[in-house]
Amino acid sequence: MVYLLRKRGAWWQDRFHDIGARITAPREIVIAVLQETDDHMSASDVYIRAHKINPSIGLTTVYRTLDMLTQLGIVQKFDFGDGKARFELVNNPGGKKHHHHLICMNCKTIVDYTEFLDEELEFINKTQEKLSKKYNFKITDHAISFYGYCDQCR
Amino acid sequence: MVYLLRKRGAWWQDRFHDIGARITAPREIVIAVLQETDDHMSASDVYIRAHKINPSIGLTTVYRTLDMLTQLGIVQKFDFGDGKARFELVNNPGGKKHHHHLICMNCKTIVDYTEFLDEELEFINKTQEKLSKKYNFKITDHAISFYGYCDQCR
DNA sequence: CCTTTATTGAAAATGATTTTCATTATCAAT
DNA sequence: ATTGATAATGAAAATCATTTTCAATAAAGG
């Protein structure tokens, strides 16, 4: 079964060319996996799914690819406090929109919320501008998280 | 040399009594260490300093204490992406005020900024209230972080 | 000063992530 | 299309932060 056809010019491939990175089957698969799930997946979550598509893929490569995508800003890496990093596509086309997180410190449930985001982002942008000026940072991303206890755990 | 005298009623001791936790030398030391440094310290950073004060303290206990303090909301735990958790006193009396972070993704430099905080916090509080109502969360904390590249690394 | 039991520390275990290195595969140049 | 330089891969080993285990210790109420 063919899961992936080499579509020249897919949104992410240009980025790869720019930095001289090769377009390989494992990389295509990892990106495909990220695209087909909105959830925050750990490296091994990604590995398991990738492995189903092509059993020859290695966990190491999944880590490496996730890392590379994070560097490129294509993927955002999170730590929700359960000992493993979580990954999400930024601007998943046709997927989940940018969002912020609400984290239950007991059961580690994550709520992605998008409410109030417009106001929040407007606010963030202003702050970002001021900060990048003052500290001479090139700011590329942000994260807002609320911590507490969910309905069950409170 | 005596570094710590048991001051009955120190701000954190009441909290300990409330939950039936004992006030022990290792715990006093860990808190003292956190108080005397404003920085975001890893567990082993804390361990090293604690160890200087009292070499009998164990790394395990540092982890346990840090964990407990985090549960109690006395300490906030962060992940800045370098593989180890970082800890900071919340509301360090006479120490650093509440702040948000600006993180260089290349060299991992952390800037604590407090500018624009008043506005930011006002905003956060409103959002927090709406979120906790909507999702029935008991929100106890938040974190705002900006990611990018610092002056040197950009 | 006892007694109960939370706490401790050392060592071992765990588990996520990284490194190593020999093999394979991409892709620019032919 | 073929080739060759070298980027990328995967398996296994190595790291390293954090946890668990368990016997010894110490806090604090009586």
Side-chain angles (χ1 to χ4, degrees), chain B residues 73-139:
Chain B
I74 291 174
V75 154
Q76 201 175 356
K77 185 179 181 180
F78 291 98
D79 170 66
F80 296 138
D82 66 345
K84 38 194 146 193
R86 306 271 162 182
F87 301 87
E88 270 185 74
L89 273 184
V90 176
N91 298 326
N92 187 352
K96 192 163 277 188
K97 288 267 187 299
H98 179 82
H99 56 264
H100 293 157
H101 295 123
L102 193 49
I103 303 162
C104 176
M105 300 196 296
N106 183 242
C107 69
K108 311 293 180 190
T109 291
I110 312 294
V111 173
D112 295 346
Y113 73 90
T114 51
E115 297 86 350
F116 331 122
L117 260 198
D118 291 343
E119 320 151 47
E120 225 165 276
L121 288 179
E122 186 192 328
F123 194 84
I124 284 295
N125 284 337
K126 274 191 287 184
T127 306
Q128 173 168 330
E129 198 173 327
K130 288 188 256 180
L131 284 175
S132 69
K133 196 160 295 172
K134 167 143 189 181
Y135 294 105
N136 202 30
F137 256 66
K138 182 182 164 201
I139 298 177

Side-chain angles (χ1 to χ4, degrees), chain A residues 120-131:
Chain A
E120 224 165 276
L121 288 180
E122 186 193 329
F123 194 85
I124 285 294
N125 285 337
K126 273 191 289 184
T127 307
Q128 173 169 329
E129 196 173 330
K130 289 189 255 180
L131 285 175

Side-chain angles (χ1 to χ4, degrees), chain A residues 7-94:
Chain A
K7 282 187 295 178
R8 275 281 143 231
W11 57 277
W12 54 273
Q13 303 198 348
D14 301 328
R15 304 289 309 282
F16 275 51
H17 280 128
D18 290 348
I19 59 166
R22 294 176 181 172
I23 291 160
T24 67
R27 286 172 178 174
E28 289 182 310
I29 292 171
V30 166
I31 291 175
V33 166
L34 288 172
Q35 268 182 129
E36 70 190 20
T37 35
D38 269 343
D39 270 343
H40 329 85
M41 289 194 287
S42 68
S44 70
D45 291 338
V46 173
Y47 170 69
I48 289 168
R49 298 210 186 207
H51 195 265
K52 280 183 193 144
I53 296 174
N54 181 343
S56 81
I57 200 170
L59 176 58
T60 310
T61 298
V62 171
Y63 269 106
R64 280 190 287 231
T65 303
L66 252 15
D67 213 60
M68 176 188 188
L69 294 173
T70 303
Q71 299 284 324
L72 288 174
I74 291 174
V75 154
Q76 201 174 359
K77 185 179 181 181
F78 291 98
D79 170 66
F80 296 137
D82 67 344
K84 37 193 147 196
R86 305 272 163 182
F87 302 86
E88 270 184 74
L89 273 184
V90 177
N91 298 324
N92 188 348

Side-chain angles (χ1 to χ4, degrees), chain A residues 79 115-116 120 127 130 134-145 147-151 154, chain B residues 79 115-116 119-120 127 130 134-138 140-151 154:
Chain A
D79 170 66
E115 297 87 351
F116 331 122
E120 224 165 276
T127 307
K130 289 189 255 180
K134 166 145 190 183
Y135 294 105
N136 202 31
F137 256 66
K138 181 182 166 202
I139 298 177
T140 58
D141 204 359
H142 69 263
I144 298 185
S145 301
Y147 298 89
Y149 298 94
C150 73
D151 198 18
R154 61 186 307 172
Chain B
D79 170 66
E115 297 86 350
F116 331 122
E119 320 151 47
E120 225 165 276
T127 306
K130 288 188 256 180
K134 167 143 189 181
Y135 294 105
N136 202 30
F137 256 66
K138 182 182 164 201
T140 58
D141 205 0
H142 69 262
I144 297 184
S145 302
F146 286 95
Y147 298 89
Y149 298 93
C150 72
D151 198 17
R154 63 188 302 172

